[in-house]
Amino acid sequence: MYENLKHPKILPLPELLRRLAPARAAGEKIVFTNGCFDIMHPGHVDLLARCKAQGDILVLGLNSDNSVRRQGKTPPRPINAFEVRAFVLAYLESVDYITGFDEDTPLNLIKAVRPNVLIKGGDWPLEKIVGRAEVEADGGKVLALELLPGFSTTSLIHQIKAL
């Protein structure tokens, strides 16, 4: 069903790391963020654009479907499968690479990517951002960027259900 939803920005981790190596060697700043990005809305687009502005390459760690399900989001999610979410995100100019992760947190992915900048939305206090200690120990910085008010996937789902 999703075999046609391919894009060169969507990479398995080994290929992502291979592509990042020359950029890292050239001194380019690698930015990492992660999330579900289930139903795209302006808040997502805004956050990703501001993430990209913090460096040269934006890597997005995208939760697998199972990872999203284990988060217990209400209503049960994801609405869109990983392949659908990744395909839509790949067409955003701000996103350079997308790779999936199946764990509950992106910690192993962050350790592998070793970003210069780790970013989450402002709904995450800095002390709770997974990977913060590792990124800071490696000389990087961690940011929680303010969210665009009035947009959330959960509220969008509730609006649709109310129609």
Side-chain angles (χ1 to χ4, degrees):
M1 177 175 189
Y2 301 122
E3 56 275 351
N4 293 326
L5 300 183
K6 305 288 183 207
H7 193 284
K9 290 183 183 180
I10 306 167
L11 301 172
L13 182 58
E15 177 62 17
L16 170 65
L17 297 178
R18 189 184 71 70
R19 293 206 192 169
L20 290 177
R24 185 182 314 282
E28 292 186 56
K29 191 184 288 187
I30 298 168
V31 179
F32 179 91
T33 193
N34 69 280
C36 305
F37 298 92
D38 195 6
I39 299 175
M40 290 297 295
H41 56 69
H44 290 136
V45 175
D46 175 71
L47 179 65
L48 292 169
R50 289 185 294 124
C51 286
K52 173 67 176 192
Q54 295 294 320
D56 300 303
I57 296 172
L58 176 58
V59 175
L60 189 145
L62 188 62
N63 292 73
S64 71
D65 294 346
N66 286 331
S67 177
V68 175
R69 285 185 199 105
R70 288 192 305 270
Q71 291 182 18
K73 290 179 176 273
T74 305
R77 305 235 303 268
I79 302 296
N80 288 302
F82 174 87
E83 295 84 358
V84 173
R85 294 180 284 126
F87 187 76
V88 171
L89 287 159
Y91 278 92
L92 292 179
E93 186 177 319
S94 58
V95 176
D96 293 295
Y97 298 113
I98 299 164
T99 195
F101 66 97
D102 196 42
E103 298 86 5
D104 291 345
T105 74
L107 183 59
N108 290 331
L109 184 53
I110 291 166
K111 287 178 178 180
V113 171
R114 295 182 41 241
N116 304 99
V117 185
L118 171 62
I119 302 176
K120 287 295 288 178
D123 54 338
W124 283 87
L126 281 176
E127 62 274 5
K128 295 208 176 195
I129 295 178
V130 170
R132 177 183 178 201
E134 290 76 9
V135 170
E136 289 179 344
D138 208 18
K141 66 179 179 177
V142 179
L143 304 172
L145 299 182
E146 187 176 329
L147 296 175
L148 190 63
F151 297 98
S152 85
T153 301
T154 301
S155 66
L156 184 58
I157 291 170
H158 290 308
Q159 288 175 19
I160 291 168
K161 288 174 84 173
L163 294 176

